[in-house]
């Protein structure tokens, strides 16, 4: 029987590409989706809202004793100035991108332990670097990275490999969804605060549009995930894309103030 893999958030973008790549590699893929009609071809659709305890329990039930690969990919991007983003949006960001991943991981870890399998957590270069207006998103990804580091060290002695994937800009629907949510949020925000950050919002929007346009296709991330889960000793972290690699190196080498200046210069382009 084909080894079993689950990809959360498999309806679009990176998750969809990962599900398809894993099918090509010979896995039986459960595609975690909120709407069963949106599962990619050749996969088995599994209703899975990662914030729903019932869905997570039902997924564990379906999977049973053995799971070879878990790709925690589901995610949303909440963006805006710290001052402007309402607290319930912060909660939602953490609920989907961190707590949801933890819930799925906890429910399925026994099945992954049994196969000495792989857990891939879809982080972001935003899990290493927090750019302006990406406070909520980066907070969730920094937290996911911390969870992954702890988990990797806990389960390595038991044969489970935990991998972080850190893409830079990838051309997926996440950016348009993020813009739509941000527009709605700004409409309800204090006008003084919106004015205070107006220029920055414009600059970040321009740079995000540029990144989305010039972003790699989601298949580039899927390729890396495929490599990680078919390698005996995968790396702890895979940075995906040139722009992400530059940021990772700059963040490691530059002092904080130097990196601040670099970000400001980039946004003025
Ligand atoms: P998409 O918006 O295309 O995909 C997000 C996926 O997550 C969708 O399948 C969506 O399902 C699903 N999702 C959202 N909320 C939930 C939830 N509560 N429960 C289950 N599934 C949910 O974006 P991407 O493909 O870009 O994003 C995938 C991952 O990659 C995210 O974790 C993101 O942070 C990360 N990433 C993306 C980058 C990029 O540049 N695009 C860069 C770095 C990391 P539905 O269709 O039902 O909404």
């Amino acid at each position: 029987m084909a080894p079993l893999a689950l990809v959360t958030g498999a309806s679009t973008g990176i998750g969809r590409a990962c599900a398809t790549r894993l099918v090509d590699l010979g896995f039986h893929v459960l595609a975690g989706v909120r709407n069963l009609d949106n599962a990619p071809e050749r996969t088995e659709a599994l209703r899975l809202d990662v914030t729903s305890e019932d869905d997570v329990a039902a997924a564990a039930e379906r999977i049973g004793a053995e799971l070879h690969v878990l790709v925690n990919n589901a995610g949303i991007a909440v963006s805006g100035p710290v001052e402007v983003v309402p607290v319930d949006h912060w909660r939602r960001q953490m609920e989907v991108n961190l707590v949801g991943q933890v819930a799925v991981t906890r429910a399925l870890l026994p099945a992954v332990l049994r196969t000495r399998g792989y857990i891939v957590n879809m982080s972001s270069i935003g899990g290493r670097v927090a750019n302006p207006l990406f406070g909520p998103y980066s907070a969730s990804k920094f937290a996911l990275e911390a969870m992954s580091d702890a988990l990797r060290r806990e389960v390595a002695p038991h044969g489970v490999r935990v991998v972080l994937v850190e893409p830079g800009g990838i051309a997926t629907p996440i950016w348009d969804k993020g813009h739509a949510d941000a527009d709605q949020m700004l409409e309800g925000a204090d006008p003084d605060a919106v004015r205070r950050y107006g220029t920055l919002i414009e600059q970040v929007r321009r740079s995000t549009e540029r990144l989305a346009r010039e972003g790699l296709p989601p298949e580039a991330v899927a390729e890396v995930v495929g490599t990680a889960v078919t390698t005996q000793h995968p790396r702890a972290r895979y940075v995906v894309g040139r722009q992400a690699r530059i940021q990772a190196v700059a963040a490691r080498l530059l002092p904080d103030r130097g990196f601040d200046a670099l970000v400001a210069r980039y946004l003025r382009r």
Side-chain angles (χ1 to χ4, degrees):
M1 233 175 40
L4 196 59
L6 167 66
V7 180
T8 68
S11 65
T12 56
I14 295 171
R16 191 177 185 90
C18 287
T20 302
R21 178 76 190 126
L22 292 176
V23 171
D24 290 341
L25 288 170
F27 289 91
H28 178 89
V29 176
L30 298 170
V33 286
R34 292 193 291 179
N35 177 343
L36 292 178
D37 294 337
N38 294 341
E41 280 172 19
R42 301 184 288 144
T43 63
E44 178 184 331
L46 181 71
R47 187 186 311 282
L48 182 52
D49 180 328
V50 297
T51 65
S52 157
E53 281 180 29
D54 289 349
D55 283 5
V56 172
E61 181 83 24
R62 158 64 189 90
I63 285 161
E66 294 196 349
L67 180 65
H68 290 80
V69 171
L70 166 61
V71 182
N72 282 313
N73 164 78
I76 57 172
V78 174
S79 59
V82 172
E83 185 185 348
V84 173
V85 177
V87 168
D88 57 331
H89 292 228
W90 282 85
R91 287 211 175 92
R92 177 87 194 137
Q93 177 70 93
M94 300 306 282
E95 194 62 30
V96 176
N97 287 18
L98 174 69
V99 182
Q101 318 305 327
V102 171
V104 171
T105 301
R106 290 189 67 244
L108 303 183
L109 190 53
V112 182
L113 279 162
R114 211 154 287 127
T115 65
R116 300 168 79 84
Y118 297 80
I119 298 176
V120 178
N121 289 323
M122 193 57 66
S123 179
S124 163
I125 189 60
R128 291 202 195 197
V129 169
N131 284 318
L133 306 198
F134 285 95
Y137 183 72
S138 274
S140 74
K141 295 297 188 183
F142 271 61
L144 181 67
E145 298 243 348
M147 184 278 266
S148 295
D149 282 339
L151 179 67
R152 190 181 64 253
R153 290 160 187 158
E154 288 162 9
V155 296
H158 306 288
V160 171
R161 284 135 300 180
V162 178
V163 172
L164 276 160
V165 177
E166 303 171 322
I170 309 293
T172 75
I174 203 167
W175 303 108
D176 288 339
K177 294 180 202 169
H179 280 167
D181 289 349
D183 284 343
Q184 213 174 20
M185 188 172 64
L186 288 172
E187 273 171 30
D190 169 14
D192 281 343
V194 175
R195 254 194 307 279
R196 206 165 9 258
Y197 303 107
T199 306
L200 182 61
I201 289 169
E202 270 318 305
Q203 288 173 332
V204 171
R205 188 159 293 207
R206 259 205 323 275
S207 89
T208 313
E209 277 164 8
R210 204 160 52 226
L211 283 179
R213 223 179 19 251
E214 296 165 3
L216 291 172
E219 287 72 23
V221 184
E223 188 69 35
V224 170
V225 170
T227 301
V229 303
T230 51
T231 303
Q232 190 61 23
H233 301 291
R235 300 213 297 262
R237 284 177 166 72
Y238 291 83
V239 177
V240 186
R242 183 169 164 274
Q243 164 259 338
R245 275 196 295 276
I246 291 171
Q247 284 195 66
V249 170
R252 205 169 42 234
L253 297 182
L254 290 175
D256 287 337
R257 295 296 182 200
F259 195 77
D260 293 353
L262 195 73
V263 170
R265 210 169 65 209
Y266 177 79
L267 288 176
R268 278 196 300 272
R269 283 206 309 173

